[in-house]
Structure formats: C-alpha cells, structure tokens
Amino acid sequence: MDHHHQVADFPSHVVSIEMQQQKDSDIFDDDGRPKRTGDIWTASAHIITAVIGSGVLSLAWAIAQLGWIAGPVVMILFSFVIYYTSGLLADCYRSGDPITGKRNYTYMDAVRANLGGVKVKICGVIQYLNLFGVAIGYTIAASISMMAIKRSNCFHESGGKDPCHMSSNPYMIIFGISEIILSQIPDFDQLWWLSIVAAVMSFTYSSIGLGLGVAKVAENGSFKGSLTGIRIGEVTEMEKIWLTFQGLGNIAFAYSYSVILIEIQDTVKSPPSETKTMKAATKISIAVTTAFYMLCGCMGYAAFGDHAPGNLLTGFGFYNPFWLLDIANAAIVIHLVGAYQVFTQPIFSFVEKWACEQWPRSQFITKEILVPIPGSSPYKLNPFRVVWRSLFAVTTTVISMLLPFFNDVVGILGAFAFWPLTVYFPVEMYIAQKKIPKWSTTWVCLQTLSLACLAISLSAAAGSVAGVVLDLKSYHPFESVY
C-alpha cells in the first residue's frame, strides 16, 4: 500500500485534532496559559529593575556606619546569601519534576505546594504587606527626587543663598496620579517594556552618582572614611550600635527581590527549564548589581567619609554640576514609576482573583468593556480593576504624606521582609522538596544560615525602629519640609 493511501485511511477529524493540538502548543503552554515569551535577558531586566532601586542611594550612608572593612564584606556576604537562596527558590517554581511538574505561579502557591497549612497565610501576609510598604517607600523616594530637581535649580539661581525649603506633598500627589494611570496595565506580561526603561534609568542615575563620587574623591585628593566607620565621639556608643544595625537593614533591602522572584520566573519560556534560565538570570543580575553597589557605595563613602548623606543624590552632598543632578534625579523618578508597577502587580492580581472567586456573577467585577484605541488593539476596561487599583494608589500616596522618613522606612521594610521571604521560606521549601533528613549535615547548615539571617533581620529592625522613634520626636504629619 503506497504512502498516499495510508494518509487517506486516517479519518480527517483525527488529523485536524492533531493539527489543532500542534497549533495550540504554539500559542499555549502546557498549563493552558498563553505561551510565555520571557528569556534570560527579560528576566535579568526585571530583576535589575527590582533590585537596583532607590536602595543603591543609601549604600554610601550604610557603608559609613560600618566602615571600610565591614561595609564591603557585608555587601559581598549578602550577595552570596541572596544568590544561594534565590537558587533554592527558583527550584520551587515547579512541584515534583523540574521540567514537567505543576507550576506555582506565585510565591504563595509555592509555599502552599511545599509547606501548606498556616505557613501559606503567614507568607501571604508578609509578602503583601512588604509589597505595600515598598509602594509607599517608592512614593516617598520619588517625591524627594522631584524636590531635589526643584531645589538644585533654586540653589543654583540664588547662588546658594536661599535654603529653598519646600513641602513634598504636591510631588507625592503627582506621583500618585501617574501610578493610577499606569496601574491600569492589566498584568505582568505586558510590563516588560516598562522594566527595560526602568533598568536603563537605574543604570543612568547610579552611574551619575558613581561619576560624581569619583570626581569628588579627585577633588579632595584622597579617600575619606575610616576602617571602622563613624567614630564613637561623633556619636555615642549606643547610637553607633543602632546605626550599624540600620546600615545592615539598608544593605539587606538593597538586595532583596525574592518577593517577586517566582512571579518573574512565571514569564519565562521553556525549554530550557525555567529554573535553569532563572538561575542564570540571577547570576547575571546579582553579579552586575554587586559590582555596581560596591562602586557606588564605596565611592560615595570615599567622597564624603563619615558625613555621607542618607540619599546620595538628594542629600545635597553635591551642588554642581546642577544639570547632571537633575538628569540623575529625573532618571530616579522614571525608574521608580516603573518599579512601583513591578512590585504592585502581585497584589493587584491577588485581590482581583480573590474578588472573582467571591462574586463570580457580579458584572462589576467580571465585565470587560472594550475601549477602542486608534492604531492598537482595544483596551479591556474592567470597572472593578479601575476602582480598586486607583484606591490602592491613593492609599499609598496618603500614607507617604504622613510618613516621610525614607531611610528608616527602607530599613524597617528590609529588615522585616528579609528573613522570612529571602531565607526562611526558601530554605524550608527546599528541605521539604528534597526531603532532607533532620540533623543531617545539609539540614544543620541550612538552619544555621537561616538563624544567622534571622539575627541580622532582628538587629536591623531594632536599629530602624530606633531611628523612626527619633524622627517622630520632631515630626508633624503632612508638614514635612525639606
């Protein structure tokens, strides 16, 4: 029987089903979701956007608290810890088989699949509170940078005679309005372009900060700073301890992105396995970030020594060239606008999914109105999404106007989220997944790592809380003036 007859013997509907399946596998992944298109570079861009945030600007201050020896050592240690635990976390993206196992779309799904029980709820509360806090921190940071542009121009015009005090509230409101508009982008997959713009911006302002630091060191003709950081005498012994702890919290915050690691991994295509891509992206991003952090932090410290400002580009360590500072601060604002979206997407999708499960019949929650956009596909307007995301942006803006102490808020956030999300859950999930026996060498090493990081988290939290208590002594709500 020749080949033509063989094909003809197949009923035509079987052929069409196979063709349909082939076509589906081109459009959909194994879990029926649209084909993921991310690769090592988009994943690295997302991580760099998430990591090289405003945290980089407080590093010179953090190193000033720790000194020339402990500062860089702590930074390198943190980068290793984060690299290691991010690898453990990336392994949790699929349950069971690393290539074909069931996918966990979010951090909470991974905890649910590996640990279950009450831990899922604890993880959810910590994760979403942390993301909410980050949104507030970014609002404060963006407003400070917008004011810095205005102030550096005012300083320049008055020749440094006018102290140029101003309120941060109008700037926070501008930032809040732009977030209301941008938060209507439906989901993470459609944010890749925002991440790339934001990643480019973070390099822009970090490089300017670095360049200004180098120029300042050249101008001073020597490196400032000491081996042990701020000397006792300039601060009391007790303050020195608190400040050291706070510095640790700031460094922890500058590195942590585990909160959204699994959400980023869920945008990556396979093969190769998502875990492999994610580990490679983590390696690239953390190497780039650490090199950058070391340069910015150390150069800032070398330029200003023990008097390094809490925020390198707005703490007015530099006045000239003022236009360069303006470019750097504008880049920070653009970056934060993007980073705010990357960090709030998990909260948005969590609440929207929950609302759909609670009220599946409600038109308000499920209905999508198509709004034609000239030259592009129509925008799907969902009434619930518009209302809820706008309310979220308004809330973060109001809280930011109440609490404008950037360094301490950053320290507290870093401290509280660092241990559970970056170390504890990844370690516990890894132990559960690989069925590591209790008291075996691996188990003891992992638990030791976890406890050491817990100690750092607690001390950093204590230092930052002490900082906020100090700030509150001289504070009036809605009236912060810089």
Side-chain angles (χ1 to χ4, degrees):
M1 187 157 52
D2 71 348
H3 178 67
H4 290 289
H5 283 115
Q6 256 180 327
V7 177
D9 289 344
F10 266 115
S12 62
H13 67 269
V14 174
V15 177
S16 72
I17 288 173
E18 280 186 349
M19 283 169 68
Q20 187 56 44
Q21 281 174 338
Q22 179 58 44
K23 203 167 159 190
D24 282 353
S25 76
D26 291 342
I27 313 171
F28 297 106
D29 267 332
D30 55 7
D31 56 348
R33 297 215 176 172
K35 200 94 177 136
R36 292 164 176 78
T37 54
D39 57 21
I40 185 170
W41 301 113
T42 59
S44 301
H46 280 312
I47 296 175
I48 289 172
T49 303
V51 179
I52 301 192
S54 43
V56 67
L57 301 170
S58 64
L59 290 178
W61 180 87
I63 290 186
Q65 311 316 312
L66 299 165
W68 274 123
I69 301 176
V73 169
V74 166
M75 248 187 222
I76 288 176
L77 277 177
F78 268 119
S79 68
F80 277 114
V81 170
I82 301 271
Y83 174 63
Y84 180 68
T85 58
S86 298
L88 301 184
L89 193 54
D91 283 332
C92 300
Y93 173 63
R94 284 181 184 267
S95 302
D97 186 273
I99 310 231
T100 55
K102 184 182 163 303
R103 296 167 186 265
N104 297 311
Y105 301 118
T106 63
Y107 199 128
M108 268 177 85
D109 290 345
V111 174
R112 188 176 293 115
N114 290 292
L115 301 173
V118 72
K119 287 182 179 170
V120 182
K121 289 203 169 72
I122 296 172
C123 161
V125 169
I126 296 171
Q127 183 186 8
Y128 294 121
L129 267 179
N130 179 49
L131 291 170
F132 182 63
V134 168
I136 294 167
Y138 281 180
T139 308
I140 297 172
S143 73
I144 291 177
S145 284
M146 290 191 231
M147 287 192 312
I149 297 177
K150 191 100 167 90
R151 284 184 66 189
S152 84
N153 294 349
C154 153
F155 261 71
H156 185 73
E157 282 156 20
S158 69
K161 292 183 186 65
D162 178 355
C164 302
H165 289 308
M166 56 183 67
S167 161
S168 56
N169 294 348
Y171 300 97
M172 291 192 186
I173 293 167
I174 295 169
F175 184 79
I177 292 170
S178 65
E179 290 308 340
I180 291 177
I181 297 165
L182 278 172
S183 62
Q184 303 309 325
I185 298 174
D187 60 27
F188 218 173
D189 280 344
Q190 293 157 358
L191 272 178
W192 61 269
W193 58 274
L194 201 58
S195 266
I196 288 174
V197 170
V200 170
M201 290 301 152
S202 58
F203 280 121
T204 308
Y205 66 73
S206 310
S207 312
I208 292 177
L210 176 61
L212 289 169
V214 173
K216 184 85 176 165
V217 170
E219 185 189 317
N220 297 339
S222 68
F223 276 61
K224 288 191 171 180
S226 61
L227 295 180
T228 52
I230 289 187
R231 276 177 283 281
I232 292 170
E234 289 194 21
V235 291
T236 63
E237 281 184 25
M238 202 58 218
E239 280 176 331
K240 170 78 180 167
I241 295 172
W242 289 132
L243 289 168
T244 303
F245 286 161
Q246 215 180 320
L248 284 175
N250 281 19
I251 295 175
F253 176 79
Y255 271 112
S256 54
Y257 69 97
S258 314
V259 188
I260 54 172
L261 182 135
I262 291 197
E263 280 83 348
I264 293 174
Q265 194 166 345
D266 194 39
T267 63
V268 174
K269 64 180 176 212
S270 63
S273 78
E274 298 88 354
T275 307
K276 206 169 171 180
T277 306
M278 202 59 200
K279 285 182 176 173
T282 299
K283 196 183 259 172
I284 294 172
S285 323
I286 289 185
V288 169
T289 312
T290 306
F292 231 70
Y293 279 3
M294 293 292 278
L295 285 168
C296 286
C298 295
M299 269 306 165
Y301 184 40
F304 296 108
D306 292 347
H307 301 292
N311 179 333
L312 202 55
L313 292 171
T314 58
F316 283 82
F318 306 110
Y319 295 115
N320 278 319
F322 79 104
W323 54 270
L324 194 59
L325 270 186
D326 292 352
I327 295 173
N329 279 307
I332 294 178
V333 175
I334 298 170
H335 170 238
L336 290 176
V337 166
Y340 182 99
Q341 289 303 322
V342 172
F343 275 97
T344 51
Q345 282 298 330
I347 304 186
F348 291 160
S349 60
F350 174 74
V351 170
E352 282 149 30
K353 195 173 133 197
W354 175 82
C356 284
E357 283 164 9
Q358 291 295 318
W359 300 282
R361 298 220 177 90
S362 158
Q363 286 286 315
F364 175 65
I365 292 171
T366 52
K367 190 177 179 188
E368 292 199 327
I369 305 156
L370 292 178
V371 181
I373 300 173
S376 152
S377 51
Y379 173 72
K380 294 174 181 163
L381 182 103
N382 171 310
F384 175 70
R385 186 166 61 216
V386 173
V387 174
W388 137 246
R389 293 188 178 192
S390 306
L391 273 175
F392 180 88
V394 169
T395 312
T396 54
T397 309
V398 172
I399 295 176
S400 309
M401 287 154 77
L402 279 167
L403 282 180
F405 344 111
F406 175 64
N407 266 40
D408 301 326
V409 173
V410 163
I412 289 181
L413 283 175
F416 279 114
F418 174 72
W419 178 71
L421 296 177
T422 307
V423 186
Y424 174 76
F425 283 121
V427 163
E428 291 298 311
M429 290 196 282
Y430 182 75
I431 290 175
Q433 204 178 24
K434 298 278 184 275
K435 303 190 173 44
I436 294 170
K438 240 184 185 169
W439 304 112
S440 63
T441 317
T442 317
W443 187 88
V444 171
C445 291
L446 286 167
Q447 297 297 354
T448 311
L449 172 74
S450 189
L451 284 173
C453 292
L454 173 62
I456 292 172
S457 257
L458 290 175
S459 50
S464 300
V465 170
V468 169
V469 170
L470 277 178
D471 286 339
L472 285 171
K473 287 180 180 163
S474 60
Y475 158 74
H476 305 289
F478 294 116
E479 284 176 25
S480 57
V481 179
Y482 289 88

